[in-house]
Each structure stands twice: as C-alpha cells, then as structure tokens.
Amino acid sequence: MFTLIVDYAVAPDGGSLALSVERLDGKTECFVINRSFASRGTPDYNVVKSTLRSLSQNECEEIANHLGGLVTDATSIDLVADFIKTLKAQSSKVRDT
C-alpha cells in the first residue's frame, strides 16, 4: 500500500496534523487530521481526510494497519501513532468520510 513516510507536519491552525506517504504506485498521498480551532465542536473535528480520495471505514482500518510499518525514526513515532489511533476510531464510526 505504502512504501515510506515522505513528510509530516503540525499546522498552526490549532493542531491539525499532516502525514505524506509514498504509495506503491509512486504517487504521494497526504493524510490530514483536522484539529483546527474552526472545526472544534463540528463533525469535521478529528477526522482524517486524504488528498487523493474519500476514505471509507474499511480503508481507514487498512491504512491504520499499514502505517505502523513505516516508522523509521523516533520523531515520527508519536505522530504516526496518533494517525493510527484516529484512523481506527474513524473506522468504527457509523458514517463514512
């Protein structure tokens, strides 16, 4: 599914996180956890979105399972763990995003 983590960042919008990964097809996909101040209290808060596709519940679980194997340095461990936790929570929600 993915070959490596390309980049990661914390946004100055209140805590949104971004994680860019290289896919097997060579494309870079960026996942973002929306934690902006503006989204707090809305259904969009703490939801993971992709720059390339809509994410179904099943895809969220599958992505979460693959991300753990990509951690290559101590700095990214907590960030990737946060994405895994958020994706798993999103996969158990009733609605797809």
Side-chain angles (χ1 to χ4, degrees):
M1 176 168 255
F2 306 114
T3 59
L4 63 98
I5 294 172
V6 177
D7 196 15
Y8 46 87
V10 178
D13 66 354
S16 293
L17 302 174
L19 179 70
S20 296
V21 294
E22 183 176 295
R23 296 166 25 133
L24 290 174
D25 62 7
K27 293 180 181 177
T28 299
E29 184 168 10
C30 182
F31 297 102
V32 176
I33 302 174
N34 184 358
R35 293 189 178 151
S36 69
F37 290 126
S39 72
R40 290 193 181 168
T42 72
D44 289 333
Y45 183 76
N46 210 41
V47 170
V48 180
K49 298 215 175 186
S50 166
T51 56
L52 296 180
R53 57 190 162 142
S54 295
L55 300 177
S56 70
Q57 290 172 309
N58 290 340
E59 288 172 318
C60 288
E61 181 73 27
E62 185 179 353
I63 292 164
N65 291 334
H66 281 94
L67 286 179
L70 297 180
V71 176
T72 57
D73 62 57
T75 307
S76 66
I77 289 173
D78 290 338
L79 185 121
V80 173
D82 203 355
F83 268 90
I84 291 169
K85 178 182 166 188
T86 306
L87 282 160
K88 287 190 178 213
Q90 189 167 321
S91 74
S92 67
K93 289 182 181 177
V94 175
R95 71 180 185 113
D96 285 348
T97 56

